[in-house]
Amino acid sequence: MSAHNRGTELDLSWISKIQVNHPAVLRRAEQIQARRTVKKEWQAAWLLKAVTFIDLTTLSGDDTSSNIQRLCYKAKYPIREDLLKALNMHDKGITTAAVCVYPARVCDAVKALKAAGCNIPVASVAAGFPAGQTHLKTRLEEIRLAVEDGATEIDVVINRSLVLTGQWEALYDEIRQFRKACGEAHLKTILATGELGTLTNVYKASMIAMMADFIKTSTGKETVNATFPVAIVMLRAIRDFFWKTGNKIGFKPAGGIRSAKDSLAWLSLVKEELGDEWLKPELFRIGASTLLSDIERQIYHHVTGRYAAYHDLPMS
């Protein structure tokens, strides 16, 4: 990742004037979902590009050091080598963008990646994930401990009650403290958009969260996770912020993105709303746990003309 965002001063006059045109956002979302996807070698190329944006994630209560080790191996070797050779891409160093784990598993991930001889970043969720309802002091300490253990990216979750009650200064101050606690680690702020009530709240929360390096849709634990309407609102907030300040903030959809077709739609949306400049891991990530398996399955089909059995493409 590039040098992280140092943030800007809070401008409540801008926040107070925001009103999202809900029907227009829904029409735009329908356009994205109805569009035909690319085919054949162009699809394979875009799917390989999508792999490089994935934060390969495991956030389960039964995570152990052994399944973290398998996850890290898959992050380094996301697509079977014979498939990459068939596409003449075996020497391009294709890996996922990062691995994302709970704070208690950061040491395991750092150790596994070091043993694999690669420098893929370790991202840790923090700040009372997924609810954000623990004491602020505890949330800040969790961030600091994850960084001490070797996490270079921190995915924090906001306290949604501050958005729902319009406490924008308090939200800004919390994110500012998260930024400080991260030190040199990069900060991704999870908005949990499915729990913010309105698209106007999504836009306002996005603007407040521009203290971070990334804004992220969801924890993956809400009833509603990454959707195209909230993504459009967040992407346009990023664009407005860039026009006003010159600062580029990254975007990370997460939760419910499982199919290769879905990943192509997300890449297309980011390309159209923000441009090619954002189609790089420094500014775009996809948080997913099962997406990579379907991408590899689609690439297997492109190369061989048939679909793989699940045991043909194991996790590691």
Side-chain angles (χ1 to χ4, degrees):
M1 253 191 200
S2 56
H4 60 65
N5 172 31
R6 296 294 176 182
T8 57
E9 295 298 319
L10 178 63
D11 184 356
L12 284 177
S13 65
W14 192 4
I15 300 299
S16 64
K17 293 182 287 189
I18 295 303
Q19 193 64 47
V20 172
N21 185 334
H22 194 269
V25 171
L26 294 183
R27 283 196 301 272
R28 173 70 172 124
E30 288 170 2
Q31 290 174 356
I32 290 292
Q33 292 168 285
R35 184 171 302 154
R36 293 179 64 187
T37 188
V38 291
K39 300 294 183 182
K40 298 183 179 179
E41 63 265 31
W42 293 279
Q43 184 182 84
W46 276 97
L47 289 177
L48 288 178
K49 192 173 184 68
V51 168
T52 68
F53 298 136
I54 293 175
D55 281 1
L56 192 59
T57 302
T58 181
L59 296 170
S60 300
D62 58 356
D63 283 338
T64 64
S65 59
S66 59
N67 78 291
I68 297 298
Q69 188 175 10
R70 290 195 298 273
L71 185 84
C72 292
Y73 186 88
K74 190 63 176 177
K76 184 179 180 181
Y77 303 106
I79 306 295
R80 242 172 52 178
E81 188 176 8
D82 61 316
L83 301 178
L84 291 176
K85 283 183 177 178
L87 298 170
N88 197 29
M89 294 294 289
H90 58 285
D91 58 350
K92 303 302 181 185
I94 293 175
T95 69
T96 66
V99 296
C100 184
V101 298
Y102 273 121
R105 302 265 72 97
V106 169
C107 286
D108 293 333
V110 171
K111 182 179 178 181
L113 289 169
K114 185 177 181 181
C118 64
N119 58 356
I120 297 171
V122 175
S124 173
V125 296
F129 182 94
Q133 292 286 355
T134 51
H135 289 293
L136 178 59
K137 184 177 179 180
T138 305
R139 287 182 278 154
L140 293 171
E141 184 63 14
E142 189 175 43
I143 292 170
R144 286 189 282 265
L145 289 172
V147 173
E148 285 178 15
D149 285 345
T152 56
E153 301 178 8
I154 303 293
D155 289 33
V156 302
V157 62
I158 66 169
N159 181 344
R160 274 77 99 188
S161 69
L162 298 178
V163 176
L164 296 172
T165 55
Q167 298 182 66
W168 304 114
E169 291 183 74
L171 178 60
Y172 174 85
D173 185 60
E174 281 201 0
I175 296 173
R176 183 183 58 80
Q177 291 184 67
F178 294 158
R179 166 78 279 160
K180 185 177 180 181
C182 281
E184 291 306 307
H186 285 79
L187 175 65
K188 306 191 198 91
T189 300
I190 308 169
L191 302 183
T193 54
E195 297 178 348
L196 297 188
T198 67
L199 291 179
T200 298
N201 276 346
V202 170
Y203 187 99
K204 290 181 177 181
S206 297
M207 279 299 177
I208 298 293
M210 297 297 178
M211 286 290 292
D213 302 292
F214 270 72
I215 54 175
K216 177 177 170 182
T217 61
S218 319
T219 66
K221 308 292 186 182
E222 294 91 59
T223 304
V224 178
N225 292 291
T227 66
F228 289 115
V230 298
I232 290 164
V233 171
M234 292 172 71
L235 290 169
R236 291 184 179 178
I238 288 172
R239 188 172 64 191
D240 292 345
F241 186 77
F242 173 64
W243 285 346
K244 183 174 182 179
T245 68
N247 293 335
K248 294 178 181 176
I249 306 300
F251 173 67
K252 179 179 174 180
I257 304 174
R258 298 185 177 91
S259 73
K261 183 179 178 182
D262 287 343
S263 72
L264 295 177
W266 284 102
L267 265 66
S268 175
L269 178 61
V270 171
K271 177 181 173 67
E272 291 181 13
E273 293 289 335
L274 295 176
D276 290 337
E277 291 176 77
W278 261 263
L279 281 181
K280 54 187 178 181
E282 292 82 6
L283 290 170
F284 178 52
R285 299 286 181 85
I286 300 173
S289 55
T290 59
L291 170 63
L292 181 56
S293 296
D294 193 56
I295 289 178
E296 190 174 24
R297 193 163 176 261
Q298 296 302 325
I299 290 174
Y300 183 99
H301 180 268
H302 173 74
V303 170
T304 67
R306 57 189 175 83
Y307 282 109
Y310 282 102
H311 64 263
D312 288 329
L313 301 172
M315 186 63 178
S316 62

